[in-house]
Amino acid sequence: MTNALLTTLAQRLRELDTGGLRRRRRITDTPCAPQLTIDGAPVLAFCSNDYLGLAAHPQIVEALREGASLYGAGSGASHLISGHSRAHALLEDRLAEFMQPVIPSARALYFSNGYMANLAVVSALAERGTDLFCEALNHASLIDGARLSRATVKVYAHGAVDQLAALLAASDATNKVVVTDSVFSMDGDLAPLAALLALCEQHNAWLVVDDAHGFGVLGQRGLGAFEHVGIYSTRLVYMGTLGKAAGVSGAFIAAHDTVIEWLLQRARPYIYTTAAPPALAHALLTSLAIIGGPEGAQRRTHLNTLIAQFRAGLRLRDWQALPSDTAIQPIIIGANDSTMAAAATLYGDGIWVGAIRPPTVAPGTARLRVTLSAAHSSAEVTRLVDAINRLQAA
Ligand SMILES: *Cc1c(COP(=O)(O)O)cnc(C)c1O
C-alpha cells in the first residue's frame, strides 16, 4: 500500500521546485552582523531586521549573561503559573513607561514573540459579532489571528482609507477593530496612521497596530511609528517586537489597562505557553536604555543617512525601487527565476540580499528585499549599490 500522505507531500514539494518556490536555509556561524561567515567565506549581509545593530551589542550580550546568572536558563512555567519573574515584571513596567508619550497611561504585556502577540491580541479582542477591518498587506500573524477570532473579517485594499471609511460606515457591529501593520514588511511603506486613527475615533473603533519594523527605529526617541508621525491616543493597541531593532527576542502589547488585563486573563497564546527565559527580559532592559538614550539616537541618524545614500545611488533600468523611507528597501524584479538569479549573482559577489517570492508577496512581484542597519558603514552601502547597478547594466 502506498503512503497517501507522503505521496501528496512529495507531489506538493515537486510543485514548489517547478514554480521556483522551494526555500532553503543558510547556516551562519557568526553573530548577527553585516559581516558574516558562511561556509567559511566572508559575506556582507543586507537581510536581517537588526536595524540598530544591537543583536550582538557587547553591553546587551553582557546583560544576557548577567540575566542567566541572576535567573538561570529557563522560566519553568507559564506566566500565570510560576514563570513570571522579576525581570519580566521590570521589563513590562519599563515598556509601559517608554510608550506613554504615544499611549497615555499605557500598561504593557511581554510576549515570547510577535507572532504570538498578534495571535493573542486579534483573537482576544475580536469575538463572534465583532467586525474586524484588516489591511490587505497585513503580516501573516495578524491574518492568522483574524482566522482564530471568529469575528467577521472585512479586508480593505492596501492604504485604501476611503474603502475603510465606507466599510466602517456600513457596519452595525457594537465592537469594531481596525488592524494594520505600521511599516509594511515587504514594501517598507507606512500605513496612513493619522487617517486610520481619525476614522477609528469617528466610528468608535479600536486601532490595533503592528509596529514590528517601527519600534526602536522610528521616532526621535525610538518609540516607533506613532512618535514618527506625531500622534497619540488611548484608543491604540500597540504591538512592538523586541527581536528586530531591539536586538534580542520577544514582543509586547502596550494599551489601556483594561485591554491588557483582558489579554492576561483570556489570550490563549499568552496563557498556554512557557514564559520566555527571564534572562532575555533582563537583557532587554539594557537594550531599551540604549534605544532611548543618546546612542540609540545616533544609530537612528546613521541609519537614515544610509537609507538616503542607498536610494540616491540606485540606477535601475527595468527593476523598480519602491517609495520607502524606512530601512526596508525592496527592489521589484517580477518573475521568481530572475529574482533568484539576481540574488545568486549578488551572493557570488559576496553580498547577501533576501529574495522574496510568493506567497509572501503577490505573484509577479518577486523582489530583492534590502534591509539596512545602523551597523552598516557607508562604504558597505556603496559596495551594495554598485553591485545592484552592475546587475541592471549587464
Ligand atoms: C517579524 C514580524 C512579526 C513577528 O514577530 P516575531 O517576534 O518575529 O515573531 C509580526 N509582524 C510583523 C510585521 C513582522 O515583521
Side-chain angles (χ1 to χ4, degrees):
M1 204 166 57
T2 62
N3 187 316
L5 181 60
L6 284 185
T7 308
T8 308
L9 297 183
Q11 169 65 24
R12 294 278 181 279
L13 288 170
R14 276 194 300 277
E15 287 164 16
L16 290 182
D17 287 333
T18 325
L21 291 172
R22 172 89 73 130
R23 301 169 74 161
R24 292 194 164 71
R25 302 172 298 173
R26 284 202 178 104
I27 300 172
T28 62
D29 290 308
T30 40
C32 173
Q35 308 80 17
L36 298 173
T37 302
I38 298 176
D39 298 329
V43 176
L44 177 59
F46 292 91
C47 31
S48 86
N49 303 308
D50 181 24
Y51 300 124
L52 295 183
L54 298 184
H57 192 291
Q59 276 168 261
I60 300 175
V61 174
E62 187 45 43
L64 185 58
R65 224 177 251 124
E66 183 183 75
S69 306
L70 287 170
Y71 301 102
S75 70
S78 65
H79 285 280
L80 293 181
I81 305 294
S82 62
H84 191 62
S85 81
R86 176 61 60 195
H88 295 124
L90 286 172
L91 177 63
E92 289 182 344
D93 289 348
R94 184 70 195 94
L95 284 166
E97 196 188 324
F98 196 70
M99 292 310 294
Q100 273 170 15
V102 168
I103 308 169
S105 61
R107 183 176 159 195
L109 191 66
Y110 174 62
F111 284 79
S112 299
N113 57 60
Y115 189 95
M116 291 169 78
N118 277 344
L119 284 191
V121 77
V122 179
S123 64
L125 294 189
E127 52 193 15
R128 215 184 290 281
T130 304
D131 274 356
L132 203 52
F133 303 86
C134 300
E135 146 83 52
L137 294 191
N138 275 350
H139 189 261
S141 53
L142 292 174
I143 296 172
D144 293 354
R147 286 176 181 155
L148 267 181
S149 74
R150 300 195 174 98
T152 307
V153 177
K154 296 163 197 271
V155 177
Y156 62 96
H158 184 49
V161 174
D162 291 347
Q163 187 191 3
L164 174 61
L167 288 171
L168 281 166
S171 163
D172 52 16
T174 310
N175 293 320
K176 307 181 192 67
V177 181
V178 175
V179 181
T180 186
D181 282 19
S182 55
V183 177
F184 291 90
S185 50
M186 296 301 140
D187 292 53
D189 59 331
L190 267 172
L193 295 172
L196 295 181
L197 187 62
L199 276 181
C200 286
E201 268 155 13
Q202 187 186 339
H203 294 280
N204 195 15
W206 279 70
L207 184 59
V208 173
V209 174
D210 173 348
D211 201 25
H213 301 280
F215 180 74
V217 209
L218 295 179
Q220 205 71 31
R221 284 162 294 177
L223 306 192
F226 286 94
E227 190 196 8
H228 180 67
V229 296
I231 48 183
Y232 63 91
S233 170
T234 50
R235 196 176 271 286
L236 272 177
V237 178
Y238 179 95
M239 198 288 287
T241 57
L242 300 168
K244 289 175 177 157
V248 186
S249 181
F252 68 98
I253 305 285
H256 189 283
D257 176 55
T258 305
V259 171
I260 295 297
E261 187 59 25
W262 178 248
L263 293 179
L264 200 158
Q265 298 301 328
R266 275 293 177 266
R268 296 163 67 89
Y270 183 75
I271 298 170
Y272 296 104
T273 189
T274 301
L280 295 176
H282 186 74
L284 280 161
L285 291 170
T286 298
S287 169
L288 277 184
I290 293 173
I291 288 173
E295 184 180 341
Q298 250 167 26
R299 284 173 181 263
R300 285 185 289 277
T301 303
H302 177 58
L303 176 61
N304 286 327
T305 308
L306 297 179
I307 293 168
Q309 182 197 339
F310 177 77
R311 294 191 63 79
L314 284 181
R315 299 281 175 272
L316 300 180
R317 199 183 53 204
D318 309 320
W319 303 345
Q320 193 202 345
L322 290 182
S324 158
D325 296 324
T326 66
I328 302 171
Q329 291 291 329
I331 296 176
I332 309 286
I333 295 182
N336 296 344
D337 51 357
S338 19
T339 306
M340 295 315 287
T345 308
L346 287 174
Y347 200 76
D349 288 346
I351 296 177
W352 186 5
V353 169
I356 312 287
R357 291 161 282 174
T360 308
V361 294
T365 69
R367 63 198 67 185
L368 299 175
R369 178 178 181 266
V370 169
T371 51
L372 298 168
S373 164
H376 287 117
S377 68
S378 168
E380 286 168 337
V381 171
T382 301
R383 202 180 136 200
L384 169 69
V385 168
D386 288 349
I388 294 176
N389 288 344
R390 265 199 311 278
L391 277 179
Q392 269 286 263

